[in-house]
Amino acid sequence: MAGTDPIHQFVIQDIFPIATIGGDGTPGSGMNIAFTNSALYMVLSVVVITGFLLMATSRRSVIPGRMQLVAEMGYQFIANMLRSSAGTEGMKFFPFVFSLFAFVLMGNMFGMIPYAFTFTSHIIVTFALAMLVISVVFIYGVMRHGLKFFKLFAPAGIPTPILFIVVPIEIVSFLSRPISLSVRLFGNILAGHITLKVFTGFVVTLGAAGFLGWMGAILPLFMAVALTALEFLVAAVQAYVFAVLTSMYLNDAVHPSH
Amino acid sequence: MATQAFAQEAETPSEQNLDTVIDVPHGEPVEGATGHDPAAEHHGTEVGADAHDTGVFPPFDPATFPSQLLWLAITFAALYLLMSKLALPRLGSIIDERKARLDADLAAADASRQKTDAAIAAYEAALAAAKSKAQGIANETRESIQTELAAKRQAVETDLAARMTSAEARIAQTKAAALTQVDEIAAATAQTIVAQLVGEVSPESVRAAVAKVGKE
């Protein structure tokens, strides 16, 4: 049953339970805390990212090897992106943006391994990351600029009557950022994985139906191969988009008056 | 169709979660949580058929949220700390070190090039000075030769002029002498001729006659 069901891959499975908070002791009540397959891949992502970066930089060579080159390219890619969108002052968020990018990228890429769990396909994870970004933007913006931060909602050089229209629009756009940021990543990964699973499921189902079915399975097989390539692209692009948007939102925190 | 499929599937996690709930308070072993135990499945189905997460699309199942949020917070905080304290400073220092070294090397190369340029300029200046000096010497030599030549020529010319004047004077003298002798020869000849023709005449009269003819 689990073989061709496209939803099964998103099921959270407890590896070992930790605690139950609250509830009346009956099963299903209270808050259930456990180390799940999702948590396992989060831990694995952190281990792989850190391990890779530390291993790549272990030699500290001036002329980089292959791994060090990849690490440096990632570093400079994110650094240039953040500097171009948030300026030099935004560079204090570099570790944050780099961690986000690496975490999301690694989560997406782990998802491309068959049987692996994709934690970025869960809205709660992407939403929490997006809320973290927006909280950082908001808290830093208010701390750094005080009330001037709210100039963000009132662009300079706009006549007062139009401000009554613009300010609500700006506020709504600000508030919708965590939603769009999280749903974009979640939706892309979820839809991609479901599509991939559906096409590979066709291959399995048709392949079991004798020679004609075997012939008919060729087309979805090609589709599955092409979709796999596409999903690798999506995995990288969505991590990039997440990091770019984070940089742009951080720019608002650093320079609130447009 | 998909909804049905996942509705059937979603029972599995719910049962596992239930097992967890059951397991934890009683301190039972963890194995039951994997949910592949048919006995546990039965158990779950009997006790918690109305569990809140049954039939929920897994990404929207709120029962999984606390665990996910907890582990997300732990892992992302760990990643942030590891990145900001360990990996990124290390990478940054490598890149900065390389940049510093490149800049130093470039500066050294630039300094060497400037030195080379200066050496070339000095060489060219020396060459130009030598050339102009050589030209000066040549000019000087030429001028001195020319003045010497001019002086010599002048001397030769004055010498020649002096000689010419003396020669001319001598010629004039000789001519004058010759001319007086011509008169005498003419007088003698005339006297002889006249003597042959008409007889003796005084030399004085002959001379007077010759002088008279010579003047005409």
Side-chain angles (χ1 to χ4, degrees):
Chain A
M1 191 164 70
T4 53
D5 173 29
I7 304 301
H8 183 261
Q9 57 182 323
F10 304 114
V11 171
I12 300 266
Q13 285 163 349
D14 295 356
I15 294 172
F16 59 82
I18 294 169
T20 304
I21 298 162
D24 47 12
T26 57
S29 68
M31 213 160 69
N32 207 3
I33 305 249
F35 187 78
T36 61
N37 51 354
S38 160
L40 173 69
Y41 281 99
M42 289 181 195
V43 172
L44 274 178
S45 295
V46 173
V47 168
V48 168
I49 293 163
T50 313
F52 172 76
L53 287 182
L54 293 187
M55 222 157 77
T57 54
S58 60
R59 273 195 238 155
R60 296 175 157 274
S61 53
V62 174
I63 299 157
R66 264 181 237 167
M67 272 171 71
Q68 194 181 322
L69 194 68
V70 170
E72 283 179 15
M73 274 164 68
Y75 181 99
Q76 277 170 334
F77 176 64
I78 299 297
N80 291 339
M81 186 190 78
L82 184 59
R83 199 176 292 117
S84 64
S85 46
T88 323
E89 207 191 327
M91 287 310 283
K92 66 178 68 161
F93 296 107
F94 175 61
F96 178 59
V97 177
F98 187 89
S99 303
L100 272 177
F101 175 73
F103 194 63
V104 172
L105 179 69
M106 200 47 71
N108 292 349
M109 284 302 176
F110 263 124
M112 293 312 294
I113 301 172
Y115 299 106
F117 181 83
T118 324
F119 60 78
T120 45
S121 68
H122 275 244
I123 184 76
I124 187 68
V125 174
T126 61
F127 187 70
L129 289 174
M131 277 312 289
L132 179 66
V133 170
I134 297 302
S135 309
V136 166
V137 167
F138 188 79
I139 292 168
Y140 178 80
V142 170
M143 270 171 59
R144 174 83 173 69
H145 301 282
L147 286 176
K148 280 185 190 163
F149 175 69
F150 295 100
K151 270 189 185 169
L152 182 64
F153 303 123
I158 286 188
T160 319
I162 299 180
L163 275 182
F164 288 105
I165 306 165
V166 170
V167 170
I169 292 175
E170 289 281 340
I171 291 173
V172 168
S173 105
F174 186 84
L175 291 180
S176 63
R177 277 173 183 182
I179 299 165
S180 66
L181 191 59
S182 56
V183 169
R184 182 180 301 112
L185 176 60
F186 158 72
N188 269 289
I189 302 302
L190 182 89
H193 280 251
I194 290 178
T195 319
L196 201 53
K197 189 81 180 189
V198 165
F199 274 100
T200 46
F202 282 158
V203 178
V204 174
T205 319
L206 285 171
F211 181 72
L212 274 178
W214 192 83
M215 291 296 284
I218 290 175
L219 195 63
L221 179 66
F222 276 115
M223 278 301 286
V225 171
L227 277 172
T228 307
L230 180 71
E231 282 314 299
F232 271 108
L233 183 75
V234 168
V237 164
Q238 286 307 317
Y240 171 68
V241 165
F242 201 91
V244 165
L245 288 174
T246 302
S247 308
M248 285 166 65
Y249 297 161
L250 284 170
N251 182 41
D252 286 344
V254 179
H255 312 108
S257 45
H258 284 255
Chain B
M1 201 174 108
T3 328
Q4 275 182 340
F6 85 70
Q8 288 166 357
E9 274 300 298
E11 276 178 47
T12 317
S14 75
E15 285 149 21
Q16 288 153 18
N17 290 343
L18 286 171
D19 285 336
T20 315
V21 180
I22 295 157
D23 285 344
V24 174
H26 297 287
E28 279 173 22
V30 172
E31 287 92 306
T34 52
H36 295 304
D37 181 4
E41 263 181 52
H42 266 293
H43 184 53
T45 321
E46 282 162 16
V47 179
D50 60 343
H52 58 280
D53 54 356
T54 308
V56 179
F57 183 50
F60 295 142
D61 180 0
T64 67
F65 288 0
S67 308
Q68 294 212 66
L69 285 176
L70 173 75
W71 285 102
L72 177 66
I74 293 172
T75 50
F76 192 74
L79 181 70
Y80 180 78
L81 281 176
L82 284 167
M83 290 298 111
S84 60
K85 300 283 175 225
L86 201 63
L88 293 180
R90 209 153 123 174
L91 257 173
S93 76
I94 292 173
I95 291 170
D96 288 347
E97 214 170 277
R98 176 179 316 126
K99 194 167 176 290
R101 199 158 145 184
L102 274 178
D103 286 350
D105 285 0
L106 280 178
D110 202 45
S112 310
R113 211 195 50 216
Q114 276 174 356
K115 235 188 251 175
T116 317
D117 285 354
I120 288 172
Y123 164 75
E124 273 172 359
L127 197 70
K131 260 185 191 168
S132 67
K133 202 172 159 191
Q135 214 158 25
I137 290 170
N139 281 344
E140 216 170 273
T141 316
R142 194 188 302 134
E143 268 165 30
S144 71
I145 287 170
Q146 262 171 357
T147 45
E148 208 176 307
L149 213 66
K152 271 185 185 168
R153 188 187 289 154
Q154 188 106 32
V156 169
E157 272 173 2
T158 40
D159 186 40
L160 277 177
R163 276 196 207 174
M164 233 147 90
T165 22
S166 70
E168 270 168 4
R170 222 168 41 235
I171 288 166
Q173 209 179 342
T174 316
K175 203 173 160 186
L179 276 176
T180 51
Q181 279 169 0
V182 164
D183 280 359
E184 254 163 54
I185 292 166
T189 312
Q191 197 179 2
T192 316
I193 293 169
V194 170
Q196 290 285 319
L197 289 174
V198 292
E200 278 302 312
V201 283
S202 68
E204 284 79 25
S205 60
V206 172
R207 263 184 207 145
V210 167
K212 197 180 164 192
V213 173
K215 273 173 197 162
E216 284 168 4

